[in-house]
Structures are given as structure tokens and as C-alpha cells.
Amino acid sequence: DTALDTYSVYPDIQTASSTPNASPVVSAVTLNGGSAITLTENTTTSISVTATVTDTDGYANISYATSVIFRSGVTSTCTADDNNCYRLASSSCPLSSCSGNSCTATCTANIWFFAQSTDAASAFSSENWQSSVTATDAANTTGTATTTSGVELNSLLALNVSPSIAYGT
């Protein structure tokens, strides 16, 4: 309750920041470089998703990214399932090439050979595979984007047989 002009020294007045935290923006999400996915029998195939993450508070404010690779019929809110939904934690989505306000997120999943195909010969020919990337910043705000067009997952015909067959005599 004392007037400021009666102090013998000038007070240091601090105000709250007038610039609120900006949420990160995710753009240019690309699955498998935009090419169809071809799997290999009896194993997994490494598939990547890339995206640009921008935060006007600077790239140092970007904490991490996560991703989902999914068949379009199950949407990005799908439950993890090796047939049609791969949820990638931040450990699978390192940030790189950081400069200014942006970084590149590259998320990698190992897709199983039995994942549901979406080409013309498949039961899901009207669908495709897509990906979604979510970035989180230091204030725990997020930004999400999904591929604008998906890619086909090519059909794979394979049999799993035992290594030896006992024919007897």
C-alpha cells in the first residue's frame, strides 16, 4: 500500500509472459516414401514415416514425436494389432535435422508379413495404409497430422511349413 514514488530505489517489476506457448505443428507426413509396401514372408519389413515438426517457440521446445501406421479402415485411433495397426512410441520416432523452429521426425515400424494387404487382389481393396504423427512440446501441448494419401500394402502369398516331414519308410 505504498506509492511507488516514495521508494529510495526503483522496484523491479516483472510481468507474466505475454507470449503463450505455441503448440507444435506437424506437416508433410509421408509413409514409406509414398511407395507401395512390399513385405517379405516369415519376417518383418522395416517401414518408415517421416514428418516435419515445427514449433514457433523454437525446435528446442519440441520434446518428442509418436506415430501410428494403420489400415485406413481401422483409423488412427486403432488398438495395436500386427494385422492392421502399429503404434510407435517416441523411442521409435527420433527427431533429427533440427534447425530454427523445426525438426524431422522419422518413425520406424517392423511390419509383419501377414499384415492385411490393400491392393486389388485383397479383401480390403477399397482401403490403403496411412500414418499419423503426433508431436509433443515442453508444455505438453500437441499437434497431429495424417498422410494426405495412403499407400497400398501389396498381397503376399506364403505358407509356413515345418522344417522336416516324417515320411516314414
Side-chain angles (χ1 to χ4, degrees):
D1 290 341
T2 304
L4 289 177
D5 62 352
T6 63
Y7 283 92
S8 59
V9 293
Y10 292 107
D12 181 21
I13 299 175
Q14 296 181 358
T15 60
S17 173
S18 60
T19 307
N21 179 69
S23 296
V25 175
V26 179
S27 61
V29 181
T30 304
L31 175 61
N32 199 42
S35 299
I37 299 169
T38 300
L39 303 176
T40 304
E41 63 276 354
N42 202 32
T43 190
T44 60
T45 300
S46 180
I47 302 298
S48 293
V49 177
T50 58
T52 301
V53 180
T54 305
D55 191 318
T56 57
D57 297 319
Y59 78 82
N61 196 46
I62 303 168
S63 298
Y64 61 90
T66 59
S67 183
V68 182
I69 298 174
F70 58 97
R71 183 174 48 79
S72 60
V74 299
T75 74
S76 64
T77 59
C78 58
T79 301
D81 182 331
D82 289 338
N83 289 303
N84 55 32
C85 180
Y86 290 79
R87 301 192 76 74
L88 307 176
S90 59
S91 59
S92 297
C93 297
L95 300 172
S96 63
S97 303
C98 296
S99 175
N101 292 336
S102 67
C103 292
T104 299
T106 304
C107 306
T108 305
N110 292 315
I111 308 294
W112 277 101
F113 70 100
F114 51 77
Q116 296 166 331
S117 59
T118 57
D119 61 4
S122 76
F124 302 103
S125 60
S126 64
E127 300 178 22
N128 55 36
W129 279 72
Q130 296 185 323
S131 56
S132 171
V133 174
T134 299
T136 304
D137 70 7
N140 211 30
T141 61
T142 61
T144 301
T146 302
T147 47
T148 54
S149 62
V151 299
E152 297 297 342
L153 192 149
N154 295 324
S155 293
L156 173 65
L157 300 177
L159 294 174
N160 186 13
V161 297
S162 60
S164 62
I165 300 174
Y167 288 104
T169 57

